């Protein structure tokens, strides 16, 4: 995996409203005891890596949604207790994933090093959509035949064995279906079929927070 570094320019956030298919974490004090939204990992929150979170959440299992109290909801029942529109943001205008409206959408700017785009270390909460951008906050202009690889590594959790994340892409404003990854490290690969502007997203699909080490996004242009 790539080495640790600092100095990433910024972590932009959209409005953090409501609860959807995964839910929210809650409350943060002067000395953080809980992560309530996606954050860059720093000395102030590093002690929370791998720890159990106590906030509300919603997970999907065997065709039903289960909240932090163990109550089950069908997709139809869930619609009655969730927002019906995307949080305000400038990248995602619609989603192809049925019944999924994220509670929050964050932009995470990468840093380029020797042609590789490095994503910073983050700690992210249940349900949050974290969108990777280039060094100027834009997406990547890709053509048919280009290939993409995103290499990731999670910090090990003290709470759960499997930390599920979803990785996918946003093309021309549309959040496309994701791939699921439960291993500690791995690679997301995509071959571009249609030219356009692409962003790449990571979703925390675990009930607890997930901390990610620096990731590496590599783009290979088709000749």
């Amino acid at each position: 995996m790539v080495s640790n570094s600092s100095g990433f320019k910024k972590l932009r956030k959209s409005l953090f409203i409501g609860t959807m298919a995964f839910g929210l974490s809650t409350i943060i004090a002067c000395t953080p005891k809980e992560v309530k939204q996606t954050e860059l990992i720093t000395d102030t929150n590093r002690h929370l890596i791998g720890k159990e979170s106590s906030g509300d959440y919603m997970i999907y299992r065997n065709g039903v949604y289960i909240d932090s109290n163990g109550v089950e909801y069908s997709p139809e029942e869930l619609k009655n207790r969730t927002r019906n529109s995307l949080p305000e943001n400038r990248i995602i205008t619609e989603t192809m994933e049925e019944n999924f409206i994220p509670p929050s959408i964050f932009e995470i700017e990468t840093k380029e090093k020797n042609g590789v785009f490095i994503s910073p270390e983050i700690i992210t909460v249940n349900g949050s959509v974290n969108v990777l951008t280039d060094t100027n906050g834009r997406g990547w202009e890709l053509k048919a035949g280009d290939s993409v690889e995103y290499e990731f590594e999670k910090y090990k959790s003290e709470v759960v064995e499997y930390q599920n994340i979803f990785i996918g892409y946003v093309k021309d404003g549309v959040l496309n279906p994701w791939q699921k990854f439960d291993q500690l490290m791995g690679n997301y690969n995509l071959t571009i079929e249609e030219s356009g502007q692409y962003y790449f997203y990571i979703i925390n699909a675990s009930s607890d927070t997930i901390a990610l080490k620096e990731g590496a996004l590599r783009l290979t242009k088709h000749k």
Side-chain angles (χ1 to χ4, degrees):
M1 204 58 194
V2 295
S3 61
N4 289 332
S5 64
S6 59
F8 291 92
K9 294 181 181 178
K10 54 201 163 193
L11 174 66
R12 301 186 185 95
K13 67 174 184 176
S14 67
L15 296 180
F16 193 72
I17 305 173
T19 304
M20 179 39 201
F22 304 102
L24 305 176
S25 292
T26 56
I27 309 305
I28 193 168
C30 294
T31 300
K33 296 182 179 179
E34 190 75 33
V35 177
K36 66 176 181 179
Q37 61 188 30
T38 296
E39 300 177 4
L40 296 178
I41 294 177
T42 66
D43 290 341
T44 62
N45 60 18
R46 191 172 295 275
H47 64 286
L48 298 174
I49 292 175
K51 305 297 183 182
E52 184 175 10
S53 61
S54 58
D56 295 330
Y57 60 83
M58 187 77 70
I59 59 175
Y60 182 76
R61 182 183 299 147
N62 298 327
V64 298
Y65 294 93
I66 306 171
D67 69 14
S68 50
N69 296 314
V71 179
E72 296 185 357
Y73 298 86
S74 68
E76 292 74 22
E77 292 172 326
L78 189 64
K79 290 180 181 179
N80 296 327
R81 55 169 283 167
T82 58
R83 61 180 298 143
N84 56 14
S85 62
L86 289 167
E88 182 179 342
N89 76 100
R90 68 181 185 90
I91 295 176
I92 300 173
T93 58
E94 62 180 296
T95 171
M96 292 180 64
E97 287 289 352
E98 187 177 1
N99 299 315
F100 176 64
I101 302 293
S104 58
I105 299 173
F106 290 84
E107 295 181 33
I108 301 177
E109 196 168 286
T110 61
K111 183 176 182 179
E112 187 176 3
K113 183 177 181 180
N114 297 326
V116 179
F117 293 89
I118 308 300
S119 59
E121 293 193 324
I122 61 170
I123 186 167
T124 180
V125 299
N126 172 258
S128 176
V129 176
N130 307 287
V131 183
L132 303 181
T133 76
D134 72 6
T135 56
N136 295 305
R138 297 191 295 261
W140 289 269
E141 295 293 336
L142 300 174
K143 296 181 179 180
D146 292 348
S147 60
V148 179
E149 178 188 43
Y150 180 66
E151 181 183 2
F152 68 86
E153 182 175 358
K154 308 166 192 170
Y155 281 96
K156 188 173 178 58
S157 172
E158 299 177 9
V159 183
V160 294
E161 180 179 359
Y162 298 107
Q163 303 178 81
N164 294 325
I165 60 172
F166 298 151
I167 302 178
Y169 67 91
V170 177
K171 177 184 178 294
D172 299 333
V174 180
L175 185 148
N176 284 262
W178 50 61
Q179 295 180 31
K180 176 184 173 182
F181 298 89
D182 59 10
Q183 64 269 40
L184 279 179
M185 61 180 66
N187 300 76
Y188 165 81
N189 293 279
L190 176 70
T191 299
I192 302 301
E193 296 183 355
E194 296 182 351
S195 299
Q197 186 180 65
Y198 286 76
Y199 294 85
F200 301 94
Y201 67 82
I202 305 166
I203 298 176
N204 176 351
S206 173
S207 58
D208 282 273
T209 59
I210 292 178
L212 292 168
K213 300 181 181 182
E214 288 185 345
L217 180 69
R218 298 179 177 88
L219 309 175
T220 303
K221 300 292 186 177
H222 177 66
K223 296 181 180 180

